[in-house]
């Protein structure tokens, strides 16, 4: 890729196994000749007063300017009064939709071989408001906040996504039979948006029933859109269907066209630095980032190489039952490019 | 069974397919010579001012006096201001714990053959408080209430249940990393109770991770205890693992030793009155009721007959892929008793 065509993207390698799997992405991108120039930012060792967290102001500015980034796992340092790094990123960058494509990996066998769905999670409000207090001793309450603006915004994104990706159906997941006002407002917004997309089938599914249907027959679902906590739960459930968080990509969409792709698994401190980590989730997240940039050729090549390597089964990391190092697995992917 | 030894139990046949599956339970109980005398109560056709719902005061009094009952599906009549019948029962009778044993049925094949767990759900508060309001136009909130008393009560029940049934482990399911105060209080109560049961392994699992683990390997779990909404979600997910709500029993435990067993599936109005309904969930709920009454012999005989009939596969209702009527399936069970 020639210097002048380079797209700048922010890279947060993150903690634990983060730097190793980020290294793997950088290597694969080099081999695939992806026109990306990384701007690396690490989590700070002290609280930055401008972000009130260990995330530096500069790193957030970098994402705001580049509008595109990739993030490894970040463990929030334990102790009082520290905002979670992941939540800080979502709030500060207004990352309003978390998008997780979830499909059965050819060649990696689980109980399910027909998963092909996308979960789209409202990422800024709901049960994550942070508003909680003690009413009297022994009685506490948490507030779940649903707004029309955030609900419309994520619903718009879901239908837009469905249409752009040739998807047939959007299911809004809710518990409006119990939370009539909050989830009711969420559904109302989804219905409003649905009317603008007559070509897409719209349905509403109660969350408990949705979870039952997902484990019985995930092929029933296509695009799912939902409030924050349900998205948290259902996206992990879906990841479980195809093998776990080590295999599932994720992208956070923010106001102003920001896309921050992220591996949502943990930082696995127990195996950090041992060259044992599986970079698949971060690689496939990077692929999602490329698609967001309309670099579909590169995205296809890398995705195919990753899936082929896993399917062949010769080089797999320990979490997938193999014995390969991160480096060996990454080299195998590069050989396929 | 001689007149004098009869135990009175309340029976709510419920709506839709309710009366047919209740008939099936009555027949099986007669054949198995179960010393139960049913006191039948139907949902009223008008609102009873004393219950503010279609449930009659007499029917609630009947459960309060008998302390034991069985309930078919009840659809809440659609219209404004009607309290859900199920929620009314939970509130009025203070049914604080919903207990659902969930095990793979020998002979009924799903993707999972090693499920054997119990979900215990707090059934009175949490996200089901009914407290919701509009803050300003376009901004609504719901309150989740967690109390020390209700959390201790359900935790006590869970550990008591685990010990009484020879279970090894209790997992408290939560999202205390986000709802530190509410779910934090719930966990605190579980920990307090756990200390009194050193022989039982206690662990805490975040709900999203729990769902992922459940679909990957349900055998990891034994007894799960959790706040209301998580219980709603996870108990349905678990039902899905073994085939659905048509196969899973449920019992609600109330203050003062009340046990109201219930089939938690819907009333299936489309097949009502056609002799097509599957009575398994209500039958197995009735079995749970018998166990609560320490009538283990009768419980074992009926449970064995139901499972054997399903396993043989000759007589199965349509939902399980068979062609039998409710009557044929019930007769086959009776033949096994
Ligand atoms: C780590 C945690 C705060 C986070 C969440 O609940 O959103 C995680 O589960 C996720 O899904 O990104
Ligand atoms: C019907 C509905 C109100 C109910 C609930 O949410 O509790 C149901 O899903 C259940 O689990 O019994």
């Amino acid at each position: 890729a020639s210097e002048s065509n380079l797209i700048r993207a922010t890279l947060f390698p993150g903690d634990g196994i983060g730097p190793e799997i980020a290294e793997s992405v950088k290597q694969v991108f080099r081999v695939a000749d992806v026109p990306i120039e990384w701007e690396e930012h690490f989590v700070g060792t002290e609280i930055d007063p401008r972000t009130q967290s260990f995330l530096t102001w500069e790193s957030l500015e970098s994402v705001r300017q580049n509008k595109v980034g990739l993030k490894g796992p970040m463990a929030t340092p334990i102790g009082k009064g520290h905002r979670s790094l992941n939540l800080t990123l979502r709030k500060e960058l207004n990352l309003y939709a978390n998008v997780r494509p979830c499909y059965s990996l050819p060649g990696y066998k689980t109980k399910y071989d027909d998963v092909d769905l996308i979960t789209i999670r409202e990422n800024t409000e709901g049960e994550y408001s942070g508003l909680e207090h003690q009413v009297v001793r022994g009685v506490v309450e948490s507030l779940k906040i649903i707004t029309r603006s955030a609900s419309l915004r994520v619903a718009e994104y879901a239908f837009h996504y469905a249409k752009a990706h040739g998807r047939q159906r959007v299911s809004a997941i809710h518990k409006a039979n119990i939370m009539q006002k909050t989830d009711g407002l969420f559904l109302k917004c989804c219905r409003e948006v649905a009317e603008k997309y007559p070509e897409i089938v719209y349905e509403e599914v109660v969350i408990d029933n949705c979870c039952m249907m997902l484990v019985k027959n995930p092929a029933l679902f296509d695009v799912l859109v939902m409030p924050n906590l349900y998205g948290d739960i259902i996206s992990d459930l879906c990841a479980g269907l195809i093998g776990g968080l080590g295999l599932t990509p994720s992208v956070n969409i923010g106001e102003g066209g920001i896309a921050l792709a992220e591996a949502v698994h943990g930082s696995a401190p127990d195996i950090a630095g041992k060259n044992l980590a599986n970079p698949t989730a971060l690689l496939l997240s990077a692929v999602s980032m490329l698609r967001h940039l309309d670099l579909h050729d590169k995205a296809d090549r890398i995705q195919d190489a990753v899936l082929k390597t896993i399917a062949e089964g010769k080089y797999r990391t320990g979490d997938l039952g193999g014995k390969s190092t991160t480096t060996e697995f990454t080299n195998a992917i590069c050989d396929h490019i």
Side-chain angles (χ1 to χ4, degrees), chain A residues 31-69:
Chain A
V31 173
D33 207 19
V34 178
I36 291 267
E37 182 180 29
W38 295 111
E39 213 172 276
E40 258 180 269
H41 284 276
F42 289 87
V43 176
T45 50
E46 276 169 46
I47 293 204
D48 185 324
R50 291 164 300 175
T51 66
Q52 286 173 54
S53 89
F54 287 85
L55 288 165
T56 65
W57 180 255
E58 289 72 23
S59 67
L60 298 185
E61 272 304 297
S62 165
V63 184
R64 286 193 192 101
Q65 289 201 352
N66 297 332
K67 292 202 185 303
V68 67

Side-chain angles (χ1 to χ4, degrees), chain A residues 118-294:
Chain A
I118 317 280
T119 60
I120 299 185
R121 162 185 183 184
E122 202 292 321
N123 219 13
T124 65
E125 56 177 31
E127 306 77 359
Y128 286 64
S129 72
L131 300 169
E132 291 189 293
H133 66 276
Q134 175 173 307
V135 184
V136 294
R137 227 181 132 79
V139 179
V140 288
E141 60 186 33
S142 302
L143 268 71
K144 162 170 166 171
I145 311 283
I146 298 286
T147 67
R148 182 169 157 78
S149 55
S151 304
L152 280 175
R153 184 169 65 172
V154 75
E156 291 279 7
Y157 187 83
F159 279 93
H160 172 84
Y161 184 101
K163 187 169 180 176
H165 291 77
R167 297 267 170 180
Q168 318 280 306
R169 173 192 298 261
V170 171
S171 312
I173 314 304
H174 69 96
K175 190 79 195 179
N177 48 342
I178 295 298
M179 281 162 280
Q180 299 178 1
K181 292 201 176 157
T182 47
D183 286 7
L185 175 58
F186 183 81
L187 288 185
K188 190 163 173 288
C189 294
C190 289
R191 278 175 216 155
E192 274 180 49
V193 177
E195 283 189 6
K196 298 193 284 176
Y197 292 84
E199 68 279 27
I200 292 180
V201 179
Y202 170 67
E203 65 171 5
E204 297 171 353
V205 186
V206 182
I207 177 149
D208 44 341
N209 190 32
C210 176
C211 290
M212 187 169 63
M213 289 163 73
L214 275 169
V215 300
K216 285 183 77 171
N217 186 5
L220 292 171
F221 292 97
D222 195 343
V223 176
L224 297 90
V225 63
M226 56 225 140
N228 211 340
L229 181 67
Y230 309 154
D232 181 50
I233 294 171
I234 288 199
S235 57
D236 273 25
L237 188 168
C238 292
L241 299 176
I242 65 138
L245 292 179
L247 297 171
T248 43
S250 163
V251 191
N252 297 287
I253 303 297
E255 289 286 6
I258 286 179
L260 181 62
E262 113 186 91
V264 287
H265 55 66
S267 59
D270 49 319
I271 59 162
K274 296 189 178 152
N275 201 18
L276 295 173
N278 179 0
T280 301
L282 196 65
L283 278 162
L284 294 180
S285 297
V287 165
S288 291
M289 186 189 89
L290 294 179
R291 297 203 185 282
H292 186 85
L293 293 167
D294 275 328

